[in-house]
Amino acid sequence: MSLIGMTGVEPDDSVVQRCRRVASETRSPTVSWSEVAAAWVMAAVGLAGLAAVCLVVTAVAQLW
């Protein structure tokens, strides 16, 4: 006999349905264009910051 099914009390079906309903009402699966644009801007800023750090490290290394 396996112990996998003996981890605790299983939730009632009404609890599961209520959790699913609340989860589906809070967030839509679609993404707006403003969210996509914000993600691209954050990615560009992150890459620019990484490039700046690399340039500074390279410049400091050449001074030594």
Side-chain angles (χ1 to χ4, degrees):
M1 182 174 192
S2 174
L3 295 176
I4 293 174
M6 303 178 70
T7 57
V9 178
E10 293 184 14
D12 189 16
D13 285 339
S14 62
V15 174
V16 172
Q17 291 298 327
R18 186 172 47 230
C19 290
R20 286 182 184 160
R21 184 173 53 247
V22 168
S24 66
E25 292 172 357
T26 58
R27 181 74 178 143
S28 171
T30 59
V31 178
S32 68
W33 284 109
S34 61
E35 290 174 324
V36 173
W40 276 102
V41 168
M42 288 190 300
V45 168
L47 288 174
L50 182 62
V53 168
C54 290
L55 287 174
V56 168
V57 168
T58 303
V60 169
Q62 286 180 356
L63 289 176
W64 286 35

